[in-house]
Amino acid sequence: MLRVWNCIETQHDWRLILLAAAVCFLTSLAAVNLFTRARTASPDTRLAWLVTSGVVTGFGTWATHFIAMLAYTPGFDLHYDLIITACSLVASAVMTTAGFAIAIFRRSKQNAMLGGAVIGLGIACMHYMGMASLRIPATIQWLPDLVTTSIIGGMVLGAFAMLVAQTADKPAKLLGAALLLTLAICVHHFVAMGAISLTYKAGIDGSESLLSPIELSLAIAAFTVTVVIAGLVVAVSDQRSRRSMRQRNMQLDAALNNMGQGLCMYDAQGGLELWNDSYVRMYRIAPEKMVLGATMAEVVALRSASGMLFTEQDRYDAQLEAAIAERKPASQTAELPDGRTIQVRYRPMDSGGWVVIHADITDRKQTEARIVHLARHDPITDLPNRVAFNEYLARVFSEASAGHGSFAVVRIDIDRFREINEVFGQSMGDAVLAEIAKRLAAASNGAFLARPSGDIFSIVSHLGAEPQTVDDLCARLSAVLDNTLQIDRQTVRVRCSIGISVYPQDGNDTESLIAHADLALDRAKAEERGTIRFFEAEMDQQIREKRLLQRDLVVAIENEQFELYFQPQASADGTIVAFEVLLRWRHPERGIVSPAVFIPLAEETGLISAIDAWVLRQACREAATWHNPLSIAINLSPVDFRTGDVPAMLASVLKETGLAPERVEIEITEGVLIDDFAGAIAILRDIKALGVRVAMDDFGTGYSSLSYLQAFPFDKIKIDQTFVMKLETNPQSAAIVHAIIGLGRSLKLPVIAEGVETAAQLSFLASEGCAEIQGFLIGRPYPIAHYRKVVTSGKGRAIEVKRAS
């Protein structure tokens, strides 16, 4: 080895040696990257990558050898035979390609080392052919031991280089394989150069086929830089591209298989290109049975085998085939035998293929159906509610007035029902309502029965031409006037009072008929509970009292006999975030008059607009003085939206009081939207344009149509207290509250529950994710002086939540 070192030190130009080493390392790095690409390539592109890696590595190795030869300075000029030099280049490329091919074949350790040894042998062939091309004035003598060492050393190092390269998947391993291959080339070359001994011999002439060292070095440098760098760039770029493609494929695969919807993609010829796990699970198809290229009919056959065809599969197929033929987006809903509802959407693609997306909407359909049902039915008795009753009565009235028919409006009230609740509890009260509803349904003999509110039931009964029909109705209803019920091992006596009005003699419109039936009911309760009374003309005295109250209401507006009460609204942890503004009328003679008495009268007479304007102005003026910028929620009547310019009124009040619009929330009931939906939506949009928020009040008690939430971006929905109060005792109320909160969560719409009176109710609402609460548990309605500390402090005070007494 000392001879080898002496040869390098005394007979070589170190600058060119370093250049050769640099070219060698660049070649080795390109070789390893190209080999890795060939190893991971698909079968149809592997041969091209294999040949590319072999040629680039062979050229680079050849270039390394001749640049190193240019560094060799024996003391006289060196010349090379052009033909033999070219043959050495071909030999290097062929042997390297063969070595790479062997290493890739079967991909075992033995094959990798054998392939590397072949590459090392190729390096030796190239080197000694290159030496044979020398034309020098000297005789070359070889030292056999060093020749053997150079060949074996190159083969061993080449074998280890390919062993590392075969499993290289990280930059560190790629670098290690490149260094080993560099070492194999360099060790072989310099050991082989140390194996020669030159004896000067004059008289050898050059020939026309010889090249000068300068010419050869320029050619080698240009060729090598072009080929090797190009190969390295191609390998690295392709590797990055494949890595990016793999990442995108992984992301696409993860996205597809985590979709809630099933997906199938077909090409222009109708062959299946892509599907996801959701589709397979949805139709209970064995995953291995889904194959690329399957037709849509074959996929449907797989569903048939698993019993998952649609109940109207022929209709579905016809509509889908028509959509595919027309290449227009389409959507249809179908039912599965197990009761699930599937929405199928077809979308054509620019490539000529199409995508079919299957979504299981069973839960959504059931939720919508449940909400629609609950919107028109009482949750305790499952009878039609107030909205359904008013619709039915209007329809019956229209038919009767057109055909001169007759019908009766019956109002039934459970006597002292409040006492039942107070003595036995709300759960007992609900059970009583449900039982009385069953008995009334039997007694009404098919007549329309509803529970419009509280403990009031209503019946609308068609009366035939026979005069005894009303008497028959009264006889049947008499059976429920006095009841002894056994509920939860307790005996409860329940008596009912009944008031009846008859069309046409007792009223020429539905409002009069209801009012007169209520007057008859009041007479029954006042004179003798548990009896039936028909409306009589003298009962109009109550109407006269109503008119007297109306005149007092006008005076109250003029003299501002109203007072504002404030009830706090809080987050689930008890932090006050807002106040709802409530109105009280302090009558000089009657004292405090309930809003339930005078608000309907004000709406009926048109006085409500003046009252609401006063409330809005006073509430905003008060809130503008608070140091703690809490919001206020103000109820506006549907009448305001029909008769006044609500946005203009709001803008005027906000400008006058200086209150920030975002601190004001307007609460409306669905009555605002029923009569003139489009006009009301336009008004609400103008209100939101001011920066004022809009909330849907009493959600769940009327229609509560989902179309309202779709048509207008409400800022909040408010669960009516009738559901909240029964959370602990009535599973149906809990289900309604759960459904409404879930709906709000899906729509990203905050939900506030009113009527919260117990810690258990608060716990239920908090667990369901209800955003805000309101009720006696947080605070009762009081004049604002009661909450002065809250509104004057620097932040909303977190109050201690107590169980209501």
Side-chain angles (χ1 to χ4, degrees), residues 367-390:
T367 299
E368 290 177 353
R370 184 164 63 249
I371 291 177
V372 168
H373 178 80
L374 293 174
R376 301 177 59 81
H377 290 78
D378 165 50
I380 297 175
T381 63
D382 203 36
L383 293 176
N385 60 11
R386 173 179 54 84
V387 173
F389 168 74
N390 290 338

Side-chain angles (χ1 to χ4, degrees), residues 591-610:
I592 294 293
V593 180
S594 170
V597 173
F598 73 83
I599 291 296
L601 179 60
E603 290 182 329
E604 180 182 337
T605 57
L607 298 173
I608 190 66
S609 295

Side-chain angles (χ1 to χ4, degrees), residues 297-326:
E298 290 171 339
V299 175
V300 172
L302 293 176
R303 285 173 42 203
S304 177
S306 63
M308 286 292 109
L309 287 179
F310 295 135
T311 54
E312 297 183 5
Q313 187 69 42
D314 292 340
R315 176 189 61 81
Y316 165 80
D317 289 341
Q319 292 182 5
L320 185 57
E321 289 172 2
I324 293 173
E326 296 175 2

